[in-house]
Amino acid sequence: MEKIGAVLTIGGGIAGIQSALDLAESGFKVYLIEKTTGIGGVMAQLDKTFPTNDCSMCILSPKLVEAGRHQNIELLINAKILKVEGRAGNFKVKILKKALFINSEKCTGCGVCAEKCPVNSIDFYNEKLSRGKATFVKYPQSVPLVFSINQDNCIGCGVCEGVCKANAVEYSQKDEEVELNVGAVILAPGFDEFDPAPLKVYGYGKYRNVVSSIEFERILSASGPYSGMVLRPSDGDIPEKVAFLQCIGSRDIHHSKPYCSSVCCMYTAKEAVIAKEHQKQVNPTIFSMDIRAYGKDFDKYIIRAQDEYGIRYIRSRISLIEENPKTNNLILKYEAEDGSLITEEYNMVVLSVGLNPPDDAIELSKTFGFELNEFNFCKTSTFEPSKTSKPGIFVCGAFAAPKDIPESVIQASASAAHANILLHSARNSLVTKKEYPTEIDVAGKPPRIGIFVCHCGINIGGVVDVPGVVDYAETLENVEYAERNLYTCSADTQIKIVETIKEHNLNRVIVASCTPRTHEPLFQETIREAGLNPYLFEMSNIRDQCSWVHMHEPVAATEKSKDLVRMAVSKANKIEPLQRTILDMNHNVLVIGGGISGLTASVGFAEQGFMTYLVEKTAELGGFAKNIHASIEGSNVKEFLSNLIEKANNNENLKIFLEAEIDTIEGYVGNFKTKLKSKGNKENKNNTFEHGIIIVATGGEEYKPTEYLYSKDPRVVTQIDFEKMLFESEINKKVNKIVMIQCIGSRNDKNPYCSRVCCAEAIKNSIKLKDLHPEKEIIVLYRDIRTYGLKEQYYREARSKGVIFIRFDEKLPPELIKEEENLIIHVDSPNIGKLDLDLDLLVLSVGIHPPYESNEILAPMLKIPLNDDKFFLEAHVKLRPVDFATEGIFVCGLAHSPRSIDESIMQANAAVSRASTYLSKDEIETEGIVATVDISKCSGCGLCIETCAYNAITMDEEKMVVIINSALCKGCGACSSSCRGSAIDLLGFTNEEIYLVINEVK
Amino acid sequence: MDFKPKIIGFLCNWCSYAGADLAGVSRIQYPPNIRIIRLMCSGRVEPYFIFEALKSGIDGVIIMGCHPGECHYMTGNYEAEMKYQLLKSLLTYVDLDNRISLEWVSASEGIRFAEVVTNFTNSIQKLGPSPLKKIDKDSELLFNLNALQIAANDYRLRALIGRKRKILDEGNVYNKKYPKEKFEDLQETAIYDEYQKNRIILYLKKENLSVKDLSERLSIAPNKILEYIVDLRGEGLIDLKDIQELTPYYTAKQEA
């Protein structure tokens, strides 16, 4: 059967967008279908993201724009799947595109229709907290920026048709069916928030000041209903006391939501911190059972929330909320840890709602024929966490299990890797490369500038005197042509611009309209069609930053528009064509580390036909996983690992070097050269090879405890030792009382992070023990049980099988006392009090730490950073979780942070997909806006080298001048502004160009 | 009341420019005095740009970038902040420091953008027109501003600013974090010295002067002037011209 080089991605949230971008960049045609009218998903609704408090929209919107404009991505909004046929490699999918009633080809997104719409309706983006219109766009930065009419609310008055100057309104538009042929499907439908209304005890929907966490997120947002002020809905007052209630619709067996939603502990901490930041009068209290801060740098965030922001944590689950009808305050009753009953009054309550499978989960599973698990999330397995039960259909994001943004982005790339592996033979078969005419040589020719001034319907023209601006523009230096358009961005105007350039021999073009952030690429493409270099273009923003913001000052706005056009003309007189450097791309891959992550990545590359060199420092493949027998889900790790090693050994595209280390690495993306050195195996010495990509999969190590008489008394063992007893030998008959202690070597001053896997390991082994010997007693001493996501069910299983869990406070850790030959653990629990436990075996749940020494050697060698804990630090914790700032190098597995086997497999596959965006190309194109150095002025001081965040600058030791590698330069210009001798300039934003513009502000 | 300030805003592409767009999309009104120049990153803002702007008679300059920790280029806004602090210190000598401002505005802060611009415009309105607006070429203010501009481009200040983050936050070559207060004292002294040294050079470019002449013009004690003269000669930037009676006269090298 013929394989189709196209992929269908379902869901336009961050996971869907990431998988679509990965595949589109890897040579596949992508159809991205979204059931609402805009992509962005829940992330577009968030104010900030944890643990960095990054502004969500700031980091998301470049991805939205990229997905909206990518040549290989077709967006299908307001659409649903009707029918699917075929199998892996070749599916036929029928899709219903529901009518928008506004022609999206013609709609310019100017928004006059919504402004004039007389009907108020519900604004779903703001979680119903503010009002929208029947004619609407999902949110201001929405992609695609097209309006539509919500017919549930539309009264059919006809006003929008009258005001739309683009004639885009089509009341008679009909639903449309389309059929797509794709090779693979990626499911990224996301999640729905748990609706707390049916839980009557919390009064949600009845008491105004009880809001859900996603509503609170909109309240916090600067673009939200209250412009970022924290106000309570009943009277608009600032709430002094705000209570956050955790686990609403999570870990709740009574409402059939037994799983943990994974993200609520962290987003609540973030919402509490941001609330405090926005309004210092707010004092948040968080009621929770455990604090599940298991991710990279999460625990530090919780500590800061408590210490710096004074957020109060109370370990309790609230069972009832009542309202004081006079004040609309809320009365909370709870049982404190010591058992006392407390009543407190709050001004506002936020319910931290959990993540539900999407409403259409069952429908999707029926249409596509894949299985769901008992919670209606997509069913996956430990070793294939991104594959559904049906071949060729992959899954990512919260639909596979509740997860946060970085884990969703990782899995998005992982699912894209599976599509890459399945369809690599059909790569580049369906993508179209746009051909442009040969560029006209403008060197030495005097500038001939053409200016197109946009009315934007009435958006600009209603305020600014556009004809006046055109008349003025004609008087400026070297302006050969000026005209005005109703919409400069409309399709017919593009044709007109091309004709005008040819007719008037224009060699510089200026558009005075809206923002270059969304529209510059469109016009650059247009002038390329006329044979001009795309950088011979300038833009004046006379709408977003002029007519819209000075609506009531038409004279001043017109004057400002003229100034902005004059400034653009002054720069246009200087701009030169810029060239995007073309670099060869070597298709070989170096993978450092032969554990599960390194092996998974290596096989992923080799199966796509890329030559892969796997370097392992020990004599054996398998890494730390060699010590693990089963996963918490009961999957056989030993068997999986030996199969994986066999796969690696048998693939002819995979060359394995054991007992080898990296001696030197030189070069940059697409062009690396590596020399190995021997670590025992002499054959590896001086082995040298070239490659285009590096995968860092150097793994982690087990903490070697010095606490609790470990290695001094044979009755004290680690969890790994205990697992060996359970799976390989027998538990001594005399061992009847077993105690486990959690967080050994984690969450302390030396290793402040959570090792993430130890809770699950302890529970896995406890269950195994109870299954083998139900009569044996086992007690787990813990600080927080962090069985996040679907692992929560095993925590429950352990308790139901009689495993006893006792919490201790970090300030009062359990003490081990040896009385003659007897071991006794003394523990002071906040909820039970002081206890003395005698025991026959003490099992320590030890943490994971990075291989300090080898990471410290590798990091400077690859010019990639380590974080405070000495794990490798990715380019961006939220949206680039496997990339480094230095291009062509990727990280996966424990090298990144502690994680479970399924998560390491996901991340390894993610690295495969990210690298495939490079490996799928024969050459890579760099940006035109890059820094250049005039070596005659360079004194070799090296200040710029330190300033550069991308390691793009190096010193030529012989000539003592710097060299800028344009393949690595991102064009920020920080080097230029720190150069003492004006030796560095930024092409496209040169000093001279900027001086000219400054001097035009008169 | 007729004064309409001219203001330049240098905005980074990823956060502040997007925030300005959002103000537009949300139709939030603010005074029309600002002319925005888009840069990819606030770290691109070259101290020279601000001097050029002020010299051309601009009444106020505001730089806007991503909030700390959110820079699209990872650390560009920190670079911007370091440079801004330098500018601020330099401009206090000519009393123009209150005409520049640095603000962080994110892509979702349309309202904040409008507020920042409104407040800055109002503060400039209160200050009145820039003294550089109508000024003759020989004015002292312009002379001093030129000296500051050269100082800003000087290696010493650039090196201090360029390495400041490393020295204070990451650790210096001895893997120690240098105390912030001490560093700032050192920076302030360096700024003052570089400013005065460049003023001396500029005076000496116009005419040959003695230590006492310079002392009068700079209103600095002659012994201090002498220290500068020694430095400048050591750096090869000025020369002894001649000696009249007991008094040596100096001149600046043309390339200095």
Side-chain angles (χ1 to χ4, degrees):
Chain A
M1 191 177 56
E2 189 201 352
K3 282 190 178 168
I4 306 298
V7 178
L8 171 67
T9 298
I10 297 168
I14 184 61
I17 292 171
Q18 184 62 47
S19 64
L21 284 171
D22 269 17
L23 288 164
E25 276 298 306
S26 301
F28 298 98
K29 171 85 190 174
V30 181
Y31 301 98
L32 179 56
I33 107 159
E34 162 61 36
K35 60 184 170 189
T36 71
T37 57
I39 61 171
V42 177
M43 192 177 169
Q45 289 182 291
L46 304 182
D47 178 47
K48 299 275 161 51
T49 59
F50 60 82
T52 48
N53 287 356
D54 260 319
C55 153
S56 191
M57 188 52 77
C58 298
I59 55 177
L60 176 65
S61 76
K63 292 228 180 217
L64 295 177
V65 174
E66 203 186 338
R69 288 207 47 84
H70 202 289
Q71 212 162 260
N72 300 342
I73 298 178
E74 191 176 323
L75 294 182
L76 300 150
I77 54 166
N78 213 19
K80 67 177 274 187
I81 312 282
L82 293 176
K83 202 175 153 197
V84 182
E85 283 170 351
R87 31 196 181 105
N90 196 332
F91 292 102
K92 284 204 168 60
V93 186
K94 198 175 272 176
I95 287 169
L96 180 71
K97 275 171 75 182
K98 285 182 266 178
L100 297 165
F101 306 102
I102 291 181
N103 184 328
S104 37
E105 301 285 314
K106 288 187 190 165
C107 175
T108 62
C110 75
V112 170
C113 51
E115 211 177 291
K116 304 288 178 198
C117 175
V119 181
N120 278 327
S121 72
I122 297 163
D123 180 352
F124 287 97
Y125 175 64
N126 274 332
E127 293 291 332
K128 309 172 192 173
L129 291 165
S130 64
R131 288 184 300 184
K133 297 293 181 79
T135 309
F136 73 107
V137 65
K138 200 173 161 196
Y139 55 99
Q141 300 91 344
S142 185
V143 170
L145 192 61
V146 292
F147 281 70
S148 52
I149 297 173
N150 181 348
Q151 282 214 318
D152 295 342
N153 297 315
C154 178
I155 54 167
C157 67
V159 165
C160 50
E161 188 182 24
V163 296
C164 179
K165 295 277 181 279
N167 297 323
V169 179
E170 293 172 357
Y171 298 119
S172 59
Q173 205 180 71
K174 295 270 178 296
D175 293 355
E176 192 191 340
E177 276 186 24
V178 287
E179 196 177 84
L180 305 173
N181 195 193
V182 296
V185 177
I186 288 177
L187 303 168
F191 64 90
D192 277 330
E193 295 103 21
F194 175 79
D195 175 11
L199 311 186
K200 298 253 185 301
V201 288
Y202 299 121
Y204 177 83
K206 187 166 138 205
Y207 308 141
R208 281 223 172 87
N209 294 330
V210 177
V211 301
S212 77
S213 44
I214 186 78
E215 289 166 346
F216 195 67
E217 195 78 43
R218 291 311 304 152
I219 289 177
L220 290 174
S221 174
S223 63
Y226 309 146
S227 308
M229 282 179 80
V230 183
L231 305 177
R232 61 181 203 156
S234 73
D235 53 11
D237 269 0
I238 295 169
E240 275 189 88
K241 289 181 73 187
V242 179
F244 291 82
L245 273 49
Q246 295 305 100
C247 297
I248 307 297
S250 305
R251 301 179 70 184
D252 182 354
I253 200 157
H254 303 298
H255 300 92
S256 57
K257 299 292 170 199
Y259 55 85
C260 160
S261 289
S262 294
V263 297
C264 324
C265 282
M266 287 309 294
Y267 78 56
T268 302
K270 173 200 72 180
E271 288 186 354
V273 163
I274 302 296
K276 185 90 195 163
E277 263 185 9
H278 283 200
Q279 226 82 54
K280 61 177 186 307
Q281 303 94 323
V282 174
N283 291 313
T285 301
I286 299 173
F287 292 90
S288 72
M289 295 191 281
D290 295 285
I291 304 173
R292 295 194 163 167
Y294 54 87
K296 200 173 184 177
D297 290 338
F298 287 7
D299 259 325
K300 287 179 203 157
Y301 193 86
I302 300 289
I303 292 168
R304 261 183 49 217
Q306 290 171 300
D307 296 353
E308 276 178 41
Y309 292 90
I311 312 287
R312 189 165 72 124
Y313 273 91
I314 293 176
R315 282 182 193 263
S316 186
R317 194 164 191 164
I318 306 280
S319 49
L320 186 66
I321 298 179
E322 284 172 346
E323 190 191 47
N324 175 341
K326 276 189 193 144
T327 57
N328 295 120
N329 285 346
L330 301 152
I331 300 147
L332 269 59
K333 291 197 177 99
Y334 66 92
E335 190 184 337
E337 263 197 300
D338 60 11
S340 58
L341 278 172
I342 297 177
T343 305
E344 280 178 11
E345 195 165 311
Y346 287 85
N347 306 107
M348 188 171 177
V349 169
V350 181
L351 303 179
S352 296
V353 292
L355 273 51
N356 276 6
D359 280 348
D360 50 357
I362 295 172
E363 201 184 330
L364 276 172
S365 93
K366 281 186 185 153
T367 315
F368 282 95
F370 61 84
E371 288 174 45
L372 299 176
N373 64 21
E374 67 260 52
F375 315 114
N376 281 345
F377 288 106
C378 182
K379 190 174 176 182
T380 59
S381 68
T382 313
F383 305 125
E384 293 190 324
S386 313
K387 288 187 177 173
T388 69
S389 60
K390 184 157 174 169
I393 299 180
F394 311 114
V395 61
C396 59
F399 185 40
K403 55 173 71 74
D404 63 10
I405 294 168
E407 294 298 328
S408 296
V409 171
I410 288 172
Q411 199 174 15
S413 288
S415 61
H418 293 310
N420 262 300
I421 295 167
L422 172 68
L423 302 174
H424 69 91
S425 59
R427 184 175 272 154
N428 291 326
S429 59
L430 289 176
V431 297
T432 42
K433 202 177 171 198
K434 208 167 174 185
E435 295 295 332
Y436 295 99
T438 324
E439 261 181 33
I440 300 164
D441 183 14
V442 302
K445 291 185 188 149
R448 294 176 63 83
I449 300 171
I451 300 180
F452 298 84
V453 186
C454 183
H455 279 266
C456 195
I458 59 166
N459 281 288
I460 297 171
V463 179
V464 171
D465 170 18
V466 173
V469 174
V470 173
D471 290 346
Y472 175 73
E474 280 173 341
T475 66
L476 298 169
E477 192 189 1
N478 293 326
V479 174
E480 294 298 325
Y481 182 83
E483 69 162 46
R484 55 200 169 92
N485 319 100
L486 189 54
Y487 290 104
T488 309
C489 62
S490 66
D492 54 324
T493 312
Q494 303 317 298
I495 299 166
K496 191 145 182 265
I497 292 174
V498 172
E499 284 168 1
T500 311
I501 290 170
K502 288 180 179 162
E503 190 184 329
H504 294 267
N505 242 341
L506 303 176
N507 56 18
R508 307 284 189 284
V509 175
I510 296 170
V511 171
S513 59
C514 51
T515 175
R517 287 175 50 255
T518 53
H519 280 68
E520 192 174 52
L522 167 76
F523 295 121
Q524 284 186 316
E525 205 176 301
T526 302
I527 72 164
R528 278 183 87 179
E529 280 164 20
L532 289 180
N533 179 288
Y535 294 98
L536 296 171
F537 177 77
E538 275 302 309
M539 217 166 159
S540 295
N541 191 342
I542 62 168
R543 185 187 74 178
D544 304 44
Q545 299 179 5
C546 193
S547 67
W548 274 353
V549 290
H550 315 308
M551 270 178 182
H552 313 300
E553 297 168 90
V555 177
T558 303
E559 201 183 307
K560 180 171 174 180
S561 298
K562 288 178 181 173
D563 280 1
L564 293 173
V565 169
R566 187 178 63 244
M567 287 157 70
V569 169
S570 72
K571 190 174 171 190
N573 266 303
K574 270 291 157 233
I575 50 177
E576 290 294 328
L578 302 183
Q579 295 313 327
R580 296 178 176 158
T581 320
I582 305 288
L583 297 164
D584 286 339
M585 182 71 211
N586 181 307
H587 292 169
N588 303 339
V589 182
L590 167 67
V591 178
I592 308 171
I596 281 193
S597 303
L599 280 163
T600 304
S602 299
V603 170
F605 289 119
E607 286 188 350
Q608 292 186 65
F610 300 119
M611 186 66 211
T612 306
Y613 304 103
L614 173 60
V615 178
E616 165 60 37
K617 67 178 171 189
T618 70
E620 211 183 341
L621 292 174
F624 192 74
K626 289 196 296 276
N627 302 311
I628 297 174
H629 296 75
S631 74
I632 193 168
E633 299 87 6
S635 311
N636 188 333
V637 176
K638 288 257 174 236
E639 185 186 291
F640 164 73
L641 189 61
S642 66
N643 287 344
L644 182 62
I645 292 172
E646 196 184 316
K647 244 191 203 175
N649 281 324
N650 293 340
N651 194 311
E652 55 183 18
N653 291 323
L654 190 50
K655 196 161 163 41
I656 298 163
F657 300 92
L658 295 175
E659 293 179 273
E661 273 188 337
I662 312 291
D663 186 28
T664 56
I665 291 189
E666 52 190 64
Y668 49 88
V669 58
N671 299 278
F672 290 109
K673 197 172 179 184
T674 292
K675 199 170 113 193
L676 297 183
K677 66 179 172 196
S678 161
K679 236 204 141 194
N681 187 346
K682 290 239 164 57
E683 275 175 40
N684 294 328
K685 207 176 170 195
N686 291 332
N687 230 320
T688 305
F689 45 85
E690 288 176 357
H691 52 103
I693 291 291
I694 300 171
I695 305 292
V696 178
T698 47
E701 288 169 359
E702 187 188 26
Y703 170 70
K704 293 276 171 276
T706 51
E707 301 93 333
Y708 298 110
L709 299 177
Y710 181 76
S711 77
K712 293 188 185 81
D713 190 304
R715 289 168 293 179
V716 181
V717 299
T718 68
Q719 204 65 254
I720 290 288
D721 301 329
F722 185 54
E723 178 163 344
K724 204 167 181 180
M725 291 178 203
L726 285 170
F727 283 85
E728 288 181 18
S729 50
E730 278 282 297
I731 303 280
N732 190 321
K733 284 211 171 66
K734 285 183 191 153
V735 172
N736 282 310
K737 290 179 173 175
I738 299 160
V739 172
M740 293 181 178
I741 306 178
Q742 299 301 107
C743 295
I744 308 291
S746 302
R747 302 179 69 191
N748 55 23
D749 288 341
K750 189 163 173 283
N751 291 330
Y753 55 88
C754 164
S755 290
R756 191 171 175 133
V757 300
C758 333
C759 284
E761 287 302 298
I763 285 167
K764 174 187 84 180
N765 290 338
S766 305
I767 293 175
K768 180 80 181 172
L769 178 84
K770 280 288 182 186
D771 286 347
L772 292 171
H773 309 283
E775 74 290 353
K776 292 195 198 286
E777 186 182 282
I778 183 154
I779 298 173
V780 181
L781 304 178
Y782 72 98
R783 285 171 58 187
D784 293 279
I785 289 293
R786 292 181 166 174
T787 42
Y788 55 92
L790 307 185
K791 294 186 176 83
E792 176 70 9
Q793 56 189 315
Y794 303 103
Y795 179 29
R796 185 170 303 103
E797 185 185 335
R799 280 179 313 192
S800 71
K801 284 184 171 157
V803 181
I804 296 164
F805 290 84
I806 299 175
R807 194 170 87 80
F808 67 87
D809 191 274
E810 62 161 315
K811 292 185 193 84
L812 291 169
E815 280 175 61
L816 180 64
I817 302 153
K818 197 169 180 177
E819 276 177 10
E820 293 170 13
E821 272 317 293
N822 295 333
L823 290 179
I824 295 166
I825 279 277
H826 177 76
V827 58
D828 190 354
S829 170
N831 32 12
I832 306 178
K834 290 182 179 165
L835 294 170
D836 282 323
L837 310 166
D838 49 345
L839 54 96
D840 305 317
L841 186 70
L842 179 63
V843 183
L844 304 179
S845 287
V846 297
I848 294 172
H849 65 78
Y852 295 108
E853 215 174 298
S854 57
N855 279 7
E856 299 262 23
I857 296 170
L858 199 59
M861 199 188 277
L862 298 177
K863 300 196 187 86
I864 50 177
L866 297 171
N867 72 1
D868 289 344
D869 306 323
K870 306 297 174 196
F871 289 102
F872 285 101
L873 180 61
E874 63 275 31
H876 190 276
V877 291
K878 277 291 178 195
L879 295 188
R880 296 181 69 196
V882 297
D883 299 45
F884 283 110
T886 311
E887 274 192 78
I889 311 179
F890 305 92
V891 63
C892 57
L894 300 183
H896 172 278
S897 63
R899 48 194 49 245
S900 59
I901 290 178
D902 51 336
E903 290 165 337
S904 291
I905 292 171
M906 258 188 248
Q907 203 175 16
N909 278 312
V912 169
S913 171
R914 298 295 305 132
S916 296
T917 63
Y918 293 87
L919 293 166
S920 60
K921 300 181 176 82
D922 290 330
E923 46 193 30
I924 41 179
E925 201 179 40
T926 67
E927 250 305 308
I929 299 170
V930 290
T932 57
V933 58
D934 177 349
I935 55 166
S936 67
K937 288 185 187 163
C938 177
S939 65
C941 72
L943 269 181
C944 50
I945 297 177
E946 278 160 40
T947 312
C948 181
Y950 301 95
N951 297 312
I953 312 180
T954 48
M955 181 73 73
D956 180 338
E957 299 288 350
E958 228 169 85
K959 295 182 187 145
M960 281 311 282
V961 292
V962 296
I963 304 166
I964 297 173
N965 185 336
S966 54
L968 298 179
C969 177
K970 298 272 170 230
C972 68
C975 55
S976 171
S977 53
S978 45
C979 178
R980 59 180 275 215
S982 312
I984 301 184
D985 215 341
L986 183 67
L987 298 177
F989 290 86
T990 64
N991 285 345
E992 193 189 4
E993 286 161 3
I994 297 168
Y995 291 150
L996 280 171
V997 176
I998 291 170
N999 283 312
E1000 286 301 336
V1001 185
K1002 284 170 192 156
Chain B
M1 284 307 286
D2 266 356
F3 169 51
K4 288 182 189 152
K6 280 279 180 184
I7 292 166
I8 288 185
F10 289 105
L11 269 58
C12 84
N13 182 58
W14 304 98
C15 296
S16 314
Y17 198 92
D21 281 348
L22 182 61
V25 175
S26 321
R27 312 294 198 279
I28 305 159
Q29 306 296 302
Y30 54 84
N33 309 65
I34 190 167
R35 300 292 177 264
I36 289 165
I37 298 179
R38 180 174 70 115
L39 300 170
M40 296 316 278
C41 178
S42 56
R44 174 71 183 94
V45 175
E46 156 78 64
Y48 241 66
F49 296 167
I50 279 74
F51 284 103
E52 285 296 311
L54 292 172
K55 277 159 71 179
S56 74
I58 296 301
D59 299 298
V61 180
I62 184 162
I63 304 162
M64 297 188 214
C66 307
H67 284 272
E70 300 181 3
C71 178
H72 188 81
Y73 301 102
M74 301 197 287
T75 52
N77 51 1
Y78 291 111
E79 300 293 337
E81 188 170 20
M82 299 293 166
K83 280 160 194 154
Y84 173 75
Q85 285 166 0
L86 170 70
L87 273 165
K88 197 89 178 155
S89 302
L90 287 166
L91 291 175
T92 50
Y93 291 106
V94 285
D95 213 14
L96 292 174
D97 54 312
N98 43 13
R99 291 185 181 271
I100 63 166
S101 177
L102 172 72
E103 292 284 350
W104 310 131
V105 175
S106 81
S108 62
E109 293 177 328
I111 297 172
R112 183 174 143 71
F113 174 81
E115 277 171 6
V116 163
V117 172
T118 306
N119 293 342
F120 187 67
T121 312
N122 290 344
S123 78
I124 299 295
Q125 184 81 44
K126 266 190 209 139
L127 283 175
S130 162
L132 286 139
K133 234 179 188 114
K134 288 184 188 112
I135 206 163
D136 70 278
K137 276 188 178 161
D138 300 322
S139 85
E140 196 183 329
L141 177 58
L142 189 60
F143 178 87
N144 290 339
L145 197 59
N146 280 329
L148 289 168
Q149 184 169 8
I150 300 167
N153 198 33
D154 182 84
Y155 179 63
R156 182 170 172 206
L157 297 186
R158 292 223 164 187
L160 282 174
I161 298 305
R163 298 215 162 89
K164 185 171 179 179
R165 197 160 55 88
K166 202 176 162 72
I167 296 170
L168 296 187
D169 301 340
E170 290 170 21
N172 59 14
V173 289
Y174 310 108
N175 268 327
K176 280 187 187 140
K177 286 178 187 168
Y178 195 82
K180 192 168 177 245
E181 273 173 34
K182 268 174 92 176
F183 186 91
E184 267 159 13
D185 278 353
L186 190 146
Q187 184 181 314
E188 282 309 313
T189 315
I191 290 171
Y192 178 79
D193 287 349
E194 291 310 310
Y195 171 47
Q196 302 303 355
K197 278 158 74 177
N198 281 298
R199 285 174 82 195
I200 292 173
I201 294 172
L202 288 179
Y203 276 119
L204 295 181
K205 275 192 176 169
K206 287 203 277 192
E207 57 187 318
N208 304 334
L209 294 168
S210 69
V211 169
K212 273 171 271 177
D213 296 337
L214 283 165
S215 166
E216 244 169 60
R217 282 175 210 211
L218 274 75
S219 310
I220 293 175
N223 62 327
K224 190 73 194 161
I225 295 283
L226 184 60
E227 277 179 35
Y228 289 136
I229 292 286
V230 172
D231 281 355
L232 288 167
R233 282 192 73 184
E235 289 163 36
L237 295 169
I238 61 168
D239 269 337
L240 180 67
K241 183 69 183 173
D242 56 3
I243 299 171
Q244 291 173 20
E245 294 181 12
L246 294 173
T247 310
Y249 281 79
Y250 299 92
T251 183
K253 286 188 181 172
Q254 278 319 302
E255 65 271 25

